[in-house]
Each structure stands twice: as C-alpha cells, then as structure tokens.
Amino acid sequence: MELDVPEDADRARYRAGLRRVLDEASPAVARRLGLFRDAATARTDGVIIDVFPDQGDERQLFAVVHGERGWEPAVPARPGSWSDADFEDVLLATVVEWIDALVPADAARLYWEATVPGGTQDHHPLGPSR
C-alpha cells in the first residue's frame, strides 16, 4: 500500500533507513499480529494500529526509545528541516507499507487499519480486508 507522499532525497533516504530497521523486526511483529487475529472473537470488528513513536509497552508492536547512545533500535535521525507534519507523513507512509504486508492473509474477516492518533492523517486500511 503506497500513500501519496512526495519522494525527495531526504524522504527517500529516511524511508530506506527506517525500512531496514522495520524489516529486521518483521518476524516478531508478524507473530504478534497473528496473536491479535487469534484473540479476535466473533464480536471483534477489527484492529486499529496507531502509529506514533511512544506507545505503551503492553500494546506496542515496535518500539523506538532514545537512550544514552541514541535511538534504539538505530532508526535514522529525522532531518532537522522537517516539520512535525513532514515527519508524521513519512513515518506513517513507511509503517503502513511495512505493516500491510505483515497482516495475516487469513485475517480477512477483521478490518485492519493504521492511523496517527490526534494527527492529520486519514485512516489507512491494511491487509486482506482492504
């Protein structure tokens, strides 16, 4: 799934660097999404994945923490010229593209989407239900 985000050099470089880190986490995240699918009951309509850098431990799929030695895992630094909206656009586009492929193929009975809570982005359908 591709969002309509202009690809200038900074965006392309950031997305490629972030994607390398995300791809390393893919097996663990795919297992976690499978657990969500398995835990869904007949009354479960869907799964909404909020994309933002600071999630709660019990519900996070992927965490990035700034420690003494920088970002853990080593995600690329946000270009200084980017506004919060620029960063949100690139972050969401990259994560939506990544996570879309990880939603279990046999989870079509559930609606899956990604969004940025309180952000400027619309909701983006994911996986086989889109």
Side-chain angles (χ1 to χ4, degrees), residues 80-101:
S81 62
W82 285 5
S83 67
D84 287 345
D86 291 334
F87 179 63
E88 186 178 284
D89 288 347
V90 173
L91 179 65
L92 183 62
T94 307
V95 171
V96 164
E97 177 183 270
W98 168 65
I99 209 139
D100 182 56

Side-chain angles (χ1 to χ4, degrees), residues 19-116:
R19 189 59 198 254
R20 278 190 296 277
V21 174
L22 293 173
D23 286 343
E24 289 178 19
S26 290
V29 170
R31 281 190 300 277
R32 186 83 185 250
L33 293 173
L35 292 173
F36 294 165
R37 175 209 51 217
D38 296 346
T41 67
R43 296 185 319 178
T44 304
D45 294 330
V47 177
I48 297 174
I49 298 169
D50 292 331
V51 179
F52 59 103
D54 187 25
Q55 298 183 31
D57 289 340
E58 72 281 354
R59 297 190 303 167
Q60 69 190 11
L61 290 175
F62 182 80
V64 177
V65 178
H66 194 270
E68 291 178 17
R69 289 176 256 158
W71 293 111
E72 293 291 331
V75 295
R78 168 181 153 173
S81 62
W82 285 5
S83 67
D84 287 345
D86 291 334
F87 179 63
E88 186 178 284
D89 288 347
V90 173
L91 179 65
L92 183 62
T94 307
V95 171
V96 164
E97 177 183 270
W98 168 65
I99 209 139
D100 182 56
L102 299 179
V103 172
D106 61 350
R109 73 169 183 81
L110 296 171
Y111 176 75
W112 298 74
E113 76 175 20
T115 190
V116 177

